[in-house]
């Protein structure tokens, strides 16, 4: 069955470029970004993995583990890693799952047969420390993803988990946020003693909580 937001991310064991993992155990108390790419030794994927390696300190800062995946075997990932380092200037510093038997790809619905029946699409799953799926993205093979957007979503998920807020369109770190409709004005006064701007009774804007 298709994975949906709020589901527990399916657990699995897999071979990666950093050795075998059991997924849930490997995530531990961290957040996780699991992302697939169509194929090793392809141009867009090379730029994506180089960029993810460059951003690894940003993921670390947010307590997020990253793990890539394609249906290529581990020795192919390792050979390709040399090209990523050479052309992108950043060596792979996170594990990449070797899913030659498509076990994980099938579990997560990463192969979309009407797009391509053998290769994974560009899927992204953000998983929280309780192993719940919090975001899913699917991009076509031709389109490199924006990993700044993935970091932005992690920031807002971590923010909205901590405070009773949601983020408006195009929110960026430091921007105003919205008090969730489920919080009454009476309870909002306790949480936001500095007050808020009510554009409508349901649209209450406050500075981003610290
Ligand atoms: C790429 O990464 O460049 C790519 C992979 C599969 C199909 C098309 C492009």
């Amino acid at each position: 069955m298709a994975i949906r937001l709020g589901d527990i991310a399916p657990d699995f064991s897999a071979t990666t470029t950093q050795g075998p993992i059991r997924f849930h155990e490997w995530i531990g108390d961290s957040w996780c970004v699991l992302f697939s790419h169509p194929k090793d030794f392809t141009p867009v994927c090379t730029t994506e993995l180089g960029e993810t390696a460059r951003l690894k300190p940003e993921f670390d800062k947010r307590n997020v583990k990253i793990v890539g995946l394609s249906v290529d075997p581990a020795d192919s990932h390792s050979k390709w890693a040399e090209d990523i380092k050479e052309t992108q200037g950043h060596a792979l510093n996170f594990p990449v799952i070797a899913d030659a038997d498509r076990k994980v790809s099938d579990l997560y619905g990463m192969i979309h047969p009407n797009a391509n029946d053998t290769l994974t699409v560009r899927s992204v799953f953000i998983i929280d420390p309780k192993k719940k799926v919090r975001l899913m993205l699917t991009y076509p093979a031709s389109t490199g993803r924006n990993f700044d957007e993935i970091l932005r979503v992690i920031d807002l998920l971590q923010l909205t988990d901590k405070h009773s807020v949601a983020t408006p369109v195009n929110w960026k770190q430091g921007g105003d946020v919205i008090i969730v409709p489920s919080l009454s004005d009476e309870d909002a006064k306790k949480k936001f003693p500095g007050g808020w701007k009510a554009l409508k009774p349901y649209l209450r804007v406050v500075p981003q909580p610290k």
Side-chain angles (χ1 to χ4, degrees):
M1 211 176 89
I3 298 173
R4 296 187 177 159
L5 294 184
D7 288 355
I8 296 297
D11 198 11
F12 57 82
S13 49
T15 303
T16 80
T17 48
Q18 296 183 358
I21 59 166
R22 281 205 64 82
F23 188 50
H24 282 195
E25 187 184 86
W26 176 79
I27 296 175
D29 294 328
S30 302
W31 288 67
C32 173
V33 174
L34 166 66
F35 71 103
S36 56
H37 64 271
K39 199 167 172 43
D40 294 356
F41 298 102
T42 51
V44 176
C45 302
T46 302
T47 63
E48 284 192 326
L49 271 77
E51 175 65 357
T52 311
R54 186 184 75 78
L55 289 173
K56 171 90 168 16
E58 292 298 321
F59 287 103
D60 290 344
K61 246 191 249 173
R62 293 162 173 80
N63 187 32
V64 181
K65 290 186 176 175
I66 39 185
V67 57
L69 175 151
S70 77
V71 294
D72 301 285
D75 61 337
S76 164
H77 288 337
S78 300
K79 273 195 210 107
W80 180 42
E82 294 166 25
D83 290 1
I84 294 170
K85 184 175 174 199
E86 182 190 323
T87 62
Q88 307 303 304
H90 295 279
L92 272 193
N93 49 12
F94 56 89
V96 180
I97 294 168
D99 194 37
D101 62 1
R102 303 193 200 181
K103 191 176 79 181
V104 183
S105 314
D106 285 341
L107 198 56
Y108 277 78
M110 291 165 164
I111 294 178
H112 294 203
N114 291 327
N116 187 308
D117 60 4
T118 54
L119 304 180
T120 40
V121 290
R122 298 188 196 279
S123 297
V124 181
F125 294 85
I126 298 181
I127 297 161
D128 72 15
K130 291 182 179 148
K131 317 298 180 286
K132 272 197 181 167
V133 175
R134 302 293 299 276
L135 169 132
M136 297 182 292
L137 277 178
T138 309
Y139 273 45
S142 57
T143 309
R145 287 157 287 194
N146 182 336
F147 282 79
D148 288 333
E149 168 63 3
I150 293 166
L151 284 170
R152 187 187 80 95
V153 176
I154 289 164
D155 282 345
L156 70 85
L157 286 173
Q158 293 183 344
L159 180 75
T160 55
D161 276 4
K162 207 162 154 199
H163 305 280
S164 301
V165 295
T167 54
V169 61
N170 294 340
W171 176 84
K172 289 199 186 82
Q173 191 58 261
D176 285 351
V177 298
I178 289 168
I179 300 172
V180 291
S182 57
L183 196 70
S184 67
D185 279 353
E186 198 182 347
D187 288 338
K189 274 183 202 146
K190 293 176 207 143
K191 287 203 178 222
F192 305 101
W196 57 84
K197 190 162 73 180
L199 302 173
K200 289 284 175 190
Y202 59 83
L203 179 48
R204 298 168 295 176
V205 179
V206 280
Q208 178 181 328
K210 294 280 173 275

